[in-house]
Amino acid sequence: MTALMSAPTRRRPGRAPQTGQAGHRHRLAVSRALLWPALATSIVLTQIPFLLTIYYSLQSWNMLRPGDRGFTGLDNYVSVLRDGSFLSSLGATVAVTGTAVVVSTLLGMLFAVLLDRKFVGRGLARTLMITPFLVMPAAAALVWKWSILDASTGMANWGLGLLGLPPVAWNTELPMVTIILVLTWQYTPFVMLILLAGLQAQDKDVLEAAAVDGAGALRTFGEITLPHLRQYVEIAVLLASIMLLQVFDPIAIMTRGTGGTKTLSYLLYERAFVGLEVGEAAAYGVMTVLVTIVVASVALRTLFKVFSKEGIDR
Amino acid sequence: MKLTRTARRQAAPAGISAVALALTLTACAGAGGGGNGDAAGQDGGPVELTLATVNNPQMKDMEELKSSFEEEHPDITVNFVQMEENDLRDAVTKDVATDGGQYDIVTVGSYEVPIWAGNGWLTDLTGDLESDADYDVDDLFEPVKDALTVEDSLYAVPFYGESSMLMYNKELLDEAGVTMPEHPTWQEVADIARQVDSDDVDGICLRGKPGWGEVFAPLTTVVNTFGGSWFDAEWNAQVDQPKFEEAVQFYVDLVEDAGPADPVSTGFTECLNNVSQGRSAMWVDATVAAGLLEDPESSEVAGKMGYAHAPVVETEESGWLWSWNLAIPETTQNRDAAVEFVKWATSKEYHQLVGTELGWSRVPPGARNSTYEVPEYEEAAASFAPITRDIMLAVNPEQPGVAPQSWTGIQYVTIPEFQDLGNQVSQDLADVFAGRSELGPVLDRAQDLAQDAGDAQK
């Protein structure tokens, strides 16, 4: 906050030497005054709920037991850490997010390279490829659950049957794969879009020069295109990770947290809305915030590194 | 520009915490609340009632017919707020738990009523109902009434009720050359299921989907009739006892041998689909499903179904008992008007009104004895109504199993912790269905969870 406010102040000497101190100070006061409502609103909207959450996390409170509500100190945190659900959920979150991001990136790269070439119907192909990302997550989960992965009427098992393979009970036998499939299907187009933008920003002269020098397609891709794409890949991975960390819909609709798919957001939902344990849920919430801040700070620092390399931070 | 970079670096955590807070908001379910009660009507002026209800077909019918009530009571209007079951439970719990006072009438399940009444959240309706001879409170189904009664006071009235039963496809069973007795045992049902099961048709559909209200609705009735129980009368957890394990093992084995291929995705809706498309030969589930299976527009097996009592082992009956009820929260400012509406919506006249206006098959089932004596209703629901009524009158929510229990309820334990307990155990069961875990360790963990819940009652 202070940094935001002080930024214009320090600029003062360079900016307004001619207009006179008084006039400038006045303008500055006005801009500051204009900033306050927004600042106050964001403080109210962000910090007060957070402080309330911390307050609730120190309470023992099951909503259905109004008589037993009271201050318990750090008991909720102790049970959060002792229960083991938090750590296993953290693991599930990393596994689900990590795998989905890696697979989406590999597939996204493949499709981006294919769609970068000129062919008849390229516009249509691009539009079709991007659709999964535009489908609402809940709708996507339902389509996969009923039309594709249903054990008796789903298209996936029908396809396996054509190949002479036995049917698979997706949710029962492969819950992790089920979730990762849906997420990959949704996020591959997103990664593909970013990488496609990167491919099209590539300098054609360099590619031509490589061709003149006699480099093959693979070598050109490995030594020229890939290094150029690195920053795009970093941004795609970062954004996809941020979005996938909050994944909830397919888990709630398809696996209900079974078979190692209980991510942090689903765990939070369960503690608050199934368990009705307000205190415990709040403690899980605070823990999640802490972990998210740590992870996101590291991740955002990486993002800024990407920006500064791109020459944006000047 | 070292400066801006510092600024951004410091601003970044603030931005992150904003994102993180969005997450946190999910967590602080109790932070909201604080609706404002409508104070109109205290001085005898016009009253506006707000009714929160689940969006089931019977409730939609009630909304359609409310104008009839409003014509009879020109000074009262009723606003319906319809929600999904889980949203309703959440919204209404939050409202009453935080003294919100948003709703004058709430729809609550038979699981919640005793808990909420014990918390002092619901008004006692006994006097209002007994003083009105026309209302005929004794006509309400006795077991349902028992489930809604706390210390001789009635805190809610049933809008409709249900039990569970065995539904079977007569054609498929005939092809296999087997007949179903009217009171089958689980062993008989399991034998038939394994006999009928083929590549195209499942022998039996049983829920395996995680969730306290999904898999544990049928499974708890199986545990009861096998002689097991979640708790003994002193709230000692009984989950690791042999009878409990035997019942769950029986259920898991039956599902594996003759049940749906993907049990962890199979709940009420999925079974309904399977059975109505002729892909499952039998199904043990809510009696309310019969009406859906007999609807020729949505079901391929209409007219081909047979119905029997829920299978038993050691008990006489093993049907469950559920009802959706109307209750009045303590926080309402319009109690008298709310009582008028609650009485109207659960009266004999209302059942007549539904029958004549919307059709007799749409009359709310399982609430009143007299409904089952209306000739038009007997005709419209001939194949399943009599057995539904028999089962509902035969089950005993005070002792559904072999041993006495200290709560009233069949397919659930009437304590606040049960939804959490049932939910967690059901998730571990998914691993047993999939063969990733043995039942023993799962039940050992469940025993610990159950004991924590039991200790809270002592």
Side-chain angles (χ1 to χ4, degrees):
Chain A
M1 240 62 84
T2 41
L4 276 178
M5 300 291 287
S6 59
T9 326
R10 297 227 209 143
R11 250 187 226 136
R12 192 195 304 157
R15 275 271 176 119
Q18 276 92 14
T19 42
Q21 292 290 328
H24 177 72
R25 220 171 266 160
H26 176 70
R27 272 212 313 278
L28 205 62
V30 171
S31 353
R32 279 183 187 167
L34 287 175
L35 197 64
W36 265 110
L39 200 60
T41 313
S42 52
I43 290 174
V44 168
L45 286 182
T46 61
Q47 303 312 312
I48 289 181
F50 186 50
L51 292 178
L52 268 178
T53 307
I54 293 177
Y55 168 72
Y56 284 125
S57 73
L58 302 175
Q59 303 259 316
S60 146
W61 184 17
N62 180 315
M63 254 204 274
L64 287 175
R65 290 191 175 277
D68 292 346
R69 192 178 161 181
F71 181 78
T72 60
L74 295 175
D75 278 8
N76 286 324
Y77 291 93
V78 173
S79 63
V80 163
L81 291 175
R82 213 174 34 197
D83 182 40
S85 304
F86 186 75
L87 276 183
S88 69
S89 261
L90 194 62
T93 311
V94 171
V96 168
T97 310
T99 321
V101 167
V102 168
V103 181
S104 300
T105 309
L106 292 176
L107 287 177
M109 175 81 79
L110 178 72
F111 290 128
V113 170
L114 290 178
L115 285 181
D116 189 42
R117 293 155 172 260
K118 285 203 174 67
F119 60 92
V120 181
R122 185 167 76 158
L124 181 69
R126 277 187 191 171
T127 315
L128 287 180
M129 283 298 303
I130 196 69
T131 4
F133 187 63
L134 306 177
V135 177
M136 278 187 295
L142 284 172
V143 166
W144 276 84
K145 175 180 156 63
W146 288 103
S147 311
I148 304 178
L149 298 181
D150 186 85
S152 47
T153 54
M155 285 188 277
N157 280 349
W158 174 76
L160 288 178
L162 290 183
L163 299 171
L165 296 168
V168 175
W170 295 95
N171 258 0
T172 303
E173 289 167 20
L174 304 166
M176 262 310 233
V177 174
T178 309
I179 294 295
I180 290 168
L181 262 180
V182 179
L183 294 177
T184 306
W185 177 79
Q186 278 228 295
Y187 282 88
T188 299
F190 172 74
V191 177
M192 183 198 77
L193 260 194
I194 296 179
L195 297 187
L196 194 56
L199 284 175
Q200 304 206 320
Q202 204 175 1
D203 197 340
K204 298 288 174 296
D205 296 345
V206 180
L207 293 179
E208 263 173 42
V212 170
D213 286 345
L218 268 183
R219 189 142 181 234
T220 315
F221 182 76
E223 294 192 10
I224 297 175
T225 309
L226 258 191
H228 164 76
L229 275 186
R230 211 195 97 210
Q231 288 142 356
Y232 293 89
V233 173
E234 281 176 1
I235 291 176
V237 166
L238 189 77
L239 293 180
S241 307
I242 289 174
M243 289 192 277
L244 279 168
L245 273 174
Q246 299 161 24
V247 59
F248 177 81
D249 306 50
I251 294 162
I253 290 170
M254 300 173 75
T255 62
R256 300 206 171 204
T258 59
T261 60
K262 198 187 280 182
T263 58
L264 281 175
S265 51
Y266 192 73
L267 176 75
L268 265 178
Y269 158 80
E270 268 192 1
R271 301 317 309 145
F273 296 107
V274 181
L276 298 173
E277 294 278 357
V278 180
E280 211 183 302
Y284 274 111
V286 172
M287 295 289 290
T288 307
V289 170
L290 292 180
V291 171
T292 315
I293 287 178
V294 171
V295 172
S297 302
V298 174
L300 280 189
R301 199 151 291 170
T302 324
L303 182 65
F304 288 140
K305 224 178 270 167
V306 174
F307 277 150
S308 59
K309 277 207 191 96
E310 276 297 282
I312 293 166
D313 188 30
R314 229 173 275 148
Chain B
M1 295 273 15
K2 202 170 147 208
L3 230 158
T4 33
R5 202 175 293 158
T6 330
R8 198 176 299 146
R9 213 171 267 162
Q10 293 192 5
I16 302 158
S17 54
V19 175
L21 274 160
L23 259 172
T24 326
L25 282 174
T26 336
C28 53
N36 46 333
D38 188 354
Q42 274 177 316
D43 53 356
V47 176
E48 218 174 291
L49 297 176
T50 307
L51 187 159
T53 186
V54 64
N55 58 357
N56 290 352
Q58 289 86 347
M59 278 67 174
K60 289 183 178 148
D61 290 349
M62 170 165 53
E63 184 172 20
E64 207 177 319
L65 296 171
K66 70 169 186 178
S67 55
S68 167
F69 171 83
E70 289 168 345
E71 277 163 26
E72 286 168 32
H73 302 83
D75 52 344
I76 305 177
T77 48
V78 188
N79 299 321
F80 274 60
V81 182
Q82 301 220 10
M83 285 171 263
E84 284 275 314
E85 180 172 342
N86 287 334
D87 296 335
L88 173 81
R89 193 168 275 127
D90 174 39
V92 175
T93 308
K94 209 160 37 182
D95 189 58
V96 286
T98 56
D99 285 338
Q102 230 179 322
Y103 307 117
D104 301 296
I105 304 167
V106 291
T107 309
V108 276
S110 45
Y111 165 72
E112 284 94 353
V113 170
I115 300 173
W116 290 17
N119 287 341
W121 289 348
L122 303 177
T123 61
D124 181 357
L125 299 173
T126 326
D128 304 278
L129 303 178
E130 279 174 357
S131 63
D132 186 345
D134 285 345
Y135 184 76
D136 194 2
V137 70
D138 295 327
D139 183 37
L140 298 175
F141 269 7
E142 201 64 35
V144 181
K145 226 168 76 185
D146 284 348
L148 307 178
T149 303
V150 180
E151 285 163 13
D152 298 327
S153 295
L154 194 59
Y155 283 92
V157 276
F159 183 67
Y160 77 82
E162 63 173 34
S163 184
S164 60
M165 64 180 169
L166 175 72
M167 295 163 268
Y168 57 94
N169 188 319
K170 283 190 283 194
E171 272 192 356
L172 291 171
L173 263 60
D174 284 347
E175 277 170 34
V178 286
T179 47
M180 181 62 70
E182 203 187 323
H183 286 269
T185 65
W186 265 114
Q187 209 45 59
E188 285 170 326
V189 169
D191 289 344
I192 294 176
R194 291 186 169 101
Q195 208 173 326
V196 177
D197 189 66
S198 69
D199 287 348
D200 301 326
V201 176
D202 293 331
I204 189 165
C205 200
L206 292 172
R207 305 186 196 177
K209 195 183 207 169
W212 69 283
E214 283 283 5
V215 62
F216 270 117
L219 186 48
T220 302
T221 69
V222 179
V223 168
N224 287 337
T225 194
F226 267 76
S229 180
W230 283 92
F231 298 98
D232 67 10
E234 276 79 47
W235 292 112
N236 298 308
Q238 301 290 306
V239 179
D240 61 355
Q241 296 301 302
K243 298 278 187 187
F244 196 108
E245 183 163 357
E246 194 191 332
V248 179
Q249 191 65 56
F250 171 87
Y251 191 91
V252 171
D253 290 346
L254 181 54
V255 166
E256 194 186 333
D257 292 350
D262 193 356
V264 176
S265 349
T266 310
F268 176 83
T269 319
E270 289 78 6
C271 277
L272 177 64
N273 275 338
N274 285 350
V275 177
S276 62
Q277 291 170 22
R279 290 202 312 268
S280 280
M282 295 187 283
W283 183 22
V284 179
D285 216 307
T287 51
V288 85
L292 304 166
L293 291 176
E294 295 296 342
D295 175 9
E297 278 181 26
S298 61
S299 163
E300 291 171 23
V301 295
K304 298 178 189 169
M305 298 300 293
Y307 302 93
H309 286 244
V312 293
V313 179
E314 290 185 17
T315 56
E316 296 281 309
E317 288 287 342
S318 80
W320 73 49
L321 193 74
W322 180 259
S323 59
W324 278 114
N325 319 283
L326 296 179
I328 302 173
E330 275 288 351
T331 47
T332 178
Q333 307 277 333
N334 306 305
R335 189 174 185 281
D336 293 344
V339 169
E340 280 300 304
F341 184 80
V342 166
K343 274 159 68 175
W344 173 82
T346 56
S347 64
K348 293 176 191 171
E349 294 76 44
Y350 176 77
H351 288 195
Q352 287 285 338
L353 187 68
V354 177
T356 50
E357 294 280 319
L358 306 173
W360 283 95
S361 60
R362 282 160 76 171
V363 172
R368 283 183 168 273
N369 279 303
S370 54
T371 308
Y372 291 81
E373 283 146 23
V374 178
E376 293 95 328
Y377 183 69
E378 283 185 312
E379 196 192 323
S383 61
F384 56 88
I387 190 168
T388 301
R389 177 180 186 232
D390 287 353
I391 298 172
M392 288 198 67
L393 293 175
V395 295
N396 178 6
E398 293 185 345
Q399 189 186 324
V402 172
Q405 64 184 28
S406 40
W407 66 96
T408 305
I410 300 181
Q411 77 272 40
Y412 48 79
V413 184
T414 318
I415 54 173
E417 291 80 5
F418 183 71
Q419 31 176 335
D420 198 14
L421 170 64
N423 192 51
Q424 294 193 45
V425 181
S426 72
Q427 289 175 345
D428 292 343
L429 264 186
D431 288 335
V432 180
F433 280 119
R436 284 188 294 265
S437 291
E438 290 295 315
L439 183 58
V442 165
L443 292 186
D444 286 344
R445 184 174 115 86
Q447 169 75 10
D448 293 342
L449 291 170
Q451 195 53 63
D452 285 347
D455 289 342
Q457 322 306 319
K458 286 179 180 173

